[in-house]
Amino acid sequence: MQSSKSFRLDDFIAGWIGGASSVVVGHPLDTVKTRLQAGKGYKNTLHCVLTIYRKETAMGFFKGMSFPLASITVYNSVVFGFFSNAQRFISKYRYGDGRHPCGMLDLTVASMLTGLMSVGLGAPVDLVKIRLQMQTQTVLAENLHLAGNVSNGTNIPLRSIDIPNQRLYRGPLHCISSILQTEGLQGLYRGAGAMILRDVPGYILYFIPYAIFRDLLKSDETSNPHPCSIWLAGGLAGSISWVTATPADVVKSRMQADAHLQRKYKGILHCIIHSYKTEGAQVFFRGASVNAIRGFPMSATMFLTYELCLKFFRGI
């Protein structure tokens, strides 16, 4: 697994396995979060959950999961592999030994670099996931618009419009193809600026709290952390990171859900101002409770699976 003293491949493989497990655990709540942040007609989290279940059954919570399952596994592989190897390179540069423990400054730099790097791969993944998750809302808006603009003035009962059977995108590949045709390559990176604002501080508040909690929960300094400690530390770190990242996540979700033919936002600043003027400051914390709840099991599963895989690979 080890290709050199300062670069390891097993971090990438462990991140891939951890990413797959976290997607399965967290995708249903991720769908709820996206609908709350970028959709309309939901009073609160519980109302959103019940609405999705009633209109789309349990499968509605797993809408768009095939693409994240295929892509976020690769994304987490790159993120965790990059972060771990960045720590070793920083330690080798600063202390002359890649195995030297990183201080808080070293972890902060490695986290910031990971956040910047992650956007290049993560922005298109998030965009496609959100477009697939928002399909029902998009078709509903389009049909209501058509129903109110019939040239002969005929009233069309809304119940006659068969919304559930209509889909803007047939799947992830069709979604990517449609975005490239209508918006170009830059369309896949819509919301990337907001994602940088989310992920750079977000990863600092992800990896550093994890390291702090993991060390605090150890029985002594020389022992390896217990799996329960890893699980709890990862879960707490995930909740902290996602709650603090919610305002930037709201802006990112809205920009990425903003379809080309119905574009509402000109850019990040316009999205922030428009959202604030129309819905107040509370809009930037929409989905925060879902993020906190969803962040715990996803991150707990991610870190625990990652650490156990590394332990297995390295025979510790």
Side-chain angles (χ1 to χ4, degrees):
M1 292 289 179
Q2 188 173 357
S3 55
S4 73
K5 290 183 178 180
S6 58
F7 181 81
R8 298 187 70 116
L9 290 174
D10 48 8
D11 288 298
F12 291 91
I13 298 170
W16 185 87
I17 298 170
S21 61
S22 69
V23 170
V24 175
V25 168
H27 192 79
L29 281 173
D30 184 63
T31 298
V32 175
K33 179 216 57 156
T34 300
R35 295 285 182 91
L36 282 170
Q37 291 180 343
K40 293 181 180 179
Y42 303 119
K43 299 173 185 177
N44 51 47
T45 302
L46 180 60
H47 181 247
C48 182
V49 171
L50 293 175
T51 302
I52 293 172
Y53 180 75
R54 285 169 184 165
K55 292 185 177 180
E56 305 168 56
T57 72
M59 293 307 296
F61 296 102
F62 294 93
K63 187 171 291 182
M65 193 182 80
S66 61
F67 185 66
L69 192 59
S71 56
I72 290 179
T73 50
V74 176
Y75 173 78
N76 276 293
S77 170
V78 173
V79 164
F80 274 75
F82 183 93
F83 177 71
S84 297
N85 282 288
Q87 289 180 78
R88 281 189 284 274
F89 280 117
I90 290 170
S91 292
K92 189 173 182 181
Y93 176 76
R94 291 195 67 190
Y95 312 109
D97 183 3
R99 294 169 296 179
H100 190 282
C102 282
M104 282 299 158
L105 178 61
D106 305 323
L107 286 174
T108 301
V109 173
S111 299
M112 290 177 67
L113 291 173
T114 302
L116 282 171
M117 179 280 307
S118 70
V119 174
L121 181 62
V125 171
D126 258 18
L127 180 79
V128 173
K129 173 181 68 66
I130 285 174
R131 293 285 175 91
L132 290 172
Q133 286 173 328
M134 293 299 295
Q135 283 200 101
T136 300
Q137 288 265 323
T138 302
V139 174
L140 174 60
E142 288 174 351
N143 282 334
L144 289 177
H145 177 75
L146 289 171
N149 290 277
V150 179
S151 59
N152 60 8
T154 304
N155 291 321
I156 302 177
L158 293 182
R159 61 178 178 273
S160 69
I161 303 173
D162 188 16
I163 293 170
N165 294 327
Q166 298 189 47
R167 290 291 179 268
L168 190 61
Y169 307 114
R170 293 191 294 271
L173 293 178
H174 180 244
C175 181
I176 293 170
S177 175
S178 298
I179 292 169
L180 287 172
Q181 287 177 5
T182 57
E183 305 172 53
L185 182 61
Q186 68 271 21
L188 286 175
Y189 285 90
R190 181 162 178 77
M195 196 170 183
I196 290 173
L197 294 177
R198 184 195 73 175
D199 283 2
V200 172
Y203 275 115
I204 293 172
L205 292 170
Y206 185 59
F207 287 116
I208 290 181
Y210 170 71
I212 293 171
F213 288 130
R214 184 192 59 190
D215 291 341
L216 285 174
L217 293 168
K218 284 200 301 185
S219 56
D220 58 78
E221 291 185 3
T222 57
S223 65
N224 289 321
H226 190 273
C228 289
S229 299
I230 295 170
W231 182 86
L232 182 59
L236 290 171
S239 292
I240 291 169
S241 176
W242 272 108
V243 168
T244 53
T246 296
D249 190 47
V250 169
V251 176
K252 179 200 73 70
S253 292
R254 291 191 163 210
M255 291 195 67
Q256 290 184 325
D258 199 21
H260 180 66
L261 296 176
Q262 300 171 317
R263 185 141 296 169
K264 186 191 300 183
Y265 309 117
K266 299 174 184 176
I268 297 173
L269 188 60
H270 180 249
C271 180
I272 294 171
I273 293 171
H274 185 275
S275 298
Y276 176 76
K277 285 182 177 178
T278 55
E279 300 172 69
Q282 67 270 20
V283 70
F284 298 109
F285 296 93
R286 186 174 291 172
S289 59
V290 178
N291 273 340
I293 296 167
R294 162 182 165 267
F296 191 98
M298 278 194 74
S299 296
T301 303
M302 178 70 225
F303 276 107
L304 179 59
T305 307
Y306 172 77
E307 296 281 10
L308 289 177
C309 285
L310 285 184
K311 187 176 180 180
F312 173 77
F313 292 147
R314 297 174 185 178
I316 298 174

